[in-house]
Amino acid sequence: MKLNDLTAVPGSTQDTKRIGRGHGSGQGKTAGKGHKGQKARAGHGMRPGFEGGQMPLQRRIPKRGFNNIFAKSIATVNVGTLDKKFEDGATVDTQALLDAGVIKSALDGVKILSNGNVTKKFTVKAAAFSAAAKEKIESAGGKAEVI
């Protein structure tokens, strides 16, 4: 077999619709654009949301809420996940979480939350801990260090 022998599977390709090519084509005369009007003209493109000069919806509706540009994005990890992913006595820090695939990126820090149970001793180094998570880690014999 050669490249010039290859053909498409029957039915997988269709000829393009040739509009404005006479009455017999079914798309002749006005070529599917109707009679006159703004959309029948050449180069008629209107931007998305244009309502013919009427005040557009995105300007009629009031602005809502507040976007804090100084907010920090925190990656969260549950203690139950740590228990599944790491061995007893492991030191868990941001790099270890990234390497284990627990978090995709560290963002502005990692916070450990208390969902799940801890049965192993960990030394966990993170930007923040919930009070319950810190208690669970320490009750299992581990350490929770804020970095």
Side-chain angles (χ1 to χ4, degrees):
M1 177 172 277
K2 297 176 183 168
L3 287 176
N4 62 338
D5 293 336
L6 294 175
T7 57
V9 178
S12 67
T13 60
Q14 291 183 334
D15 293 335
T16 54
K17 186 181 284 187
R18 298 180 69 231
I19 60 172
R21 294 297 181 275
H23 294 284
S25 70
Q27 287 290 328
K29 192 176 177 261
T30 54
K33 289 176 176 276
H35 289 278
K36 303 184 183 176
Q38 186 175 13
K39 290 194 229 169
R41 311 298 184 193
H44 74 82
M46 288 170 286
R47 66 182 177 277
F50 181 68
E51 297 183 20
Q54 173 175 295
M55 186 62 68
L57 183 68
Q58 71 268 23
R59 289 186 63 194
R60 291 198 303 266
I61 294 177
K63 291 193 281 187
R64 298 273 305 176
F66 171 75
N67 186 21
N68 183 3
I69 60 171
F70 301 106
K72 296 202 182 310
S73 299
I74 305 292
T76 57
V77 179
N78 289 311
V79 291
T81 308
L82 299 179
D83 207 52
K84 291 177 192 168
K85 293 278 186 177
F86 297 98
E87 293 84 37
D88 196 13
T91 300
V92 181
D93 58 357
T94 306
Q95 191 57 48
L97 292 169
L98 286 166
D99 294 341
V102 176
I103 56 174
K104 289 183 180 173
S105 69
L107 303 174
D108 293 323
V110 177
K111 182 170 183 174
I112 308 298
L113 303 178
S114 68
N115 191 12
N117 295 317
V118 181
T119 58
K120 303 170 185 170
K121 293 179 185 179
F122 297 122
T123 302
V124 184
K125 298 176 181 179
F129 294 87
S130 68
K134 194 169 191 174
E135 185 182 316
K136 282 184 180 182
I137 292 167
E138 288 171 353
S139 65
K143 282 190 233 169
E145 298 176 15
V146 177
I147 53 168

